Amino acid sequence: MTAHLTRRNFLQISAAGALSLSVPFSSAKEVDRNIRWDKSFDVVVVGGGYAGLATAVTAKRTGKTVALIDKRAWLGGDGVLSSGIFYSARTKFHDEAGITKNVSVDDYWKQICAGIDDEPLAKVRDNSRNSPVYFGVSKHNPEVLRKAAKYSPKVIDFVHSYGIKFLPMNPAKPFQLTVEKPAVSLFAQKMVEELEKSKVPVMTMTRVTELLTNKGAVVGVKAQSTEGGKPMFIKGRSIVLATGGFLDNEALMQRYKRFWCRAEPAISAVGEKRAKDRTGDGIVMAKSIGAALEEMESMPKLSARTQVGIPLVSWTIFDVEPSYLVSTKAKRVVDEHVARYSGACLALLRVGEPYGHVIFGQQTFEGPNRRRFRFDEALKKKGLFKADTPEELAAKVGLDPKELRKTIDKINADAAKGEDTQFGRKDRLFKPLAAPYYITARGYPIRYKTEGGLEVNPDFQVLRADNDQPIPGLYAVGATCGSITSRISDAVASGLIAGLTASGLKAP
Ligand SMILES: Cc1cc2nc3c(=O)[nH]c(=O)nc-3n(C[C@H](O)[C@H](O)[C@H](O)COP(=O)(O)OP(=O)(O)OC[C@H]3O[C@@H](n4cnc5c(N)ncnc54)[C@H](O)[C@@H]3O)c2cc1C
């Protein structure tokens, strides 16, 4: 259950749950005609994150028999760790806020194509033409992502139907709806309660290890308790894989995202205790029966984190305050404002730097975001340091004093002329730094979620690699699926769609 799950709580529980990894996968087999099924359902959902929960609830509402299986002791997946920002085209909340122009599904789709609300392709792209990208619509069939976009207002209605409230909308971000905290776990809890009320068997601490097929169709799964015991054979007319991404699957990471293996996998801090259980199980199992993969090489989402125990001044500071990133050589590496937090991490990786520091001046410290970035707390707890001169500032974190002086002088000279001669910054936050100066503790680029996975059609049926045809009986949703993004909006949208299609209904 997810009730009032805090991040710390989660990390403790999930570290304990690491034993689930000890159950091995076996390769897919055609089922024996005499197999004795332990249980049988219309729809079997594997994975109880937002995508799996939304699928199970939707399928159950159509009157089907449904089971939900999750290898962890708790449900809600990564959704309960997210900041709860849902992206959507026009909803009743837009109308209430008077945001009614340029917010149609078509407008939203244009934003997705341009990547305006997230990391635009240009922001994270390598210089090469064939560079892997984090986001965007370089999908084999963009209609799948477009369908998720079309369902976005339904996602908001669905979330709101559980009594979840949204913060007032910001007209500058007309496609973002952020839930009130701690609604990310409440949303999961409400879906679980609905499943429990409608007597859907919810099997936690049970790991699906194999897809069972008959004449090429998926007809069931083999599962095992993470505490051991006999395997179970569970029959399903439709099997929906909702097992999340593959951040912790080193083999898949090395094969498809080798460059980003330079960034440590982490969630809240570097060196944190957590189960390394985002192992892409659904992707691995479906691949072994011939499923197609999509966008596996795209960039995982990167962010900066400090070492455990040191407060982080979030690198989203580049969005809103005059602030600059310096490497271990005390040099700037990127247009910080355009790169944002994720692109800034990528820039460090590109130049082979293990970490970076954010610098800013007194004007930023005293600016309107002082509370948001918890500068005072960071100063007290060695997440932020202050000094009167660049040389003293450098000494606080072990950087070369002369280089930092040069970097700050260069920023100030360029900003005074309004021309960033190093990285071409053109934004209004490109301003000189005034003493006293501030520098953050080391911020390490980490990867916290993957993009890419199984290829599906707009009904979220998994496709075969050899002929692009759906594998009968098999569906994939959420971060398991490479045809959408791994954002929570798409995860829930895919669940609302697959909940219908896996139940044999249309999802127009
Ligand atoms: C720290 C963090 C912050 C984030 N912030 C945001 C944000 O602000 N906005 C946003 O849009 N997205 C954010 N994301 C990403 C987003 O939360 C996820 O991509 C999304 O929730 C994925 O949902 P899912 O249901 O597809 O997968 P998951 O949430 O990963 O759920 C998968 C579930 O499947 C289970 N499972 C896996 N393998 C098996 C198996 N073999 N058998 C049974 N069960 C299995 C897992 O235990 C898990 O419960 C964030 C992610 C993280 C980690």
Side-chain angles (χ1 to χ4, degrees), residues 346-377:
L346 180 62
L348 284 177
L349 294 179
R350 279 204 189 120
V351 294
E353 290 281 344
Y355 56 84
H357 301 269
V358 179
I359 54 171
F360 52 84
Q362 186 66 7
Q363 157 206 32
T364 294
F365 186 83
E366 283 176 351
N369 290 299
R370 181 171 177 167
R371 275 185 61 202
R372 172 176 165 190
F373 292 110
R374 300 196 199 129
F375 292 149
D376 296 277
E377 189 197 338

Side-chain angles (χ1 to χ4, degrees), residues 197-235:
K197 253 193 220 149
S198 50
K199 307 261 183 294
V200 169
V202 175
M203 295 171 241
T204 50
M205 297 180 73
T206 306
R207 186 181 189 212
V208 169
T209 58
E210 193 178 324
L211 295 173
L212 303 169
T213 61
N214 188 1
K215 297 188 184 133
V218 174
V219 292
V221 296
K222 185 174 165 186
Q224 189 165 18
S225 162
T226 56
E227 294 178 304
K230 273 194 183 165
M232 272 181 287
F233 294 91
I234 303 169
K235 191 175 179 184

Side-chain angles (χ1 to χ4, degrees), residues 470-487:
I471 298 175
L474 190 63
Y475 297 76
V477 290
T480 310
C481 167
S483 310
I484 50 172
T485 75
S486 60
R487 298 198 296 192

Side-chain angles (χ1 to χ4, degrees), residues 80 204 241 249 261 263 333 349 363 416 427 483 489:
V80 301
T204 50
L241 297 172
N249 185 322
C261 287
V333 287
L349 294 179
Q363 157 206 32
D427 57 281
S483 310
S489 342

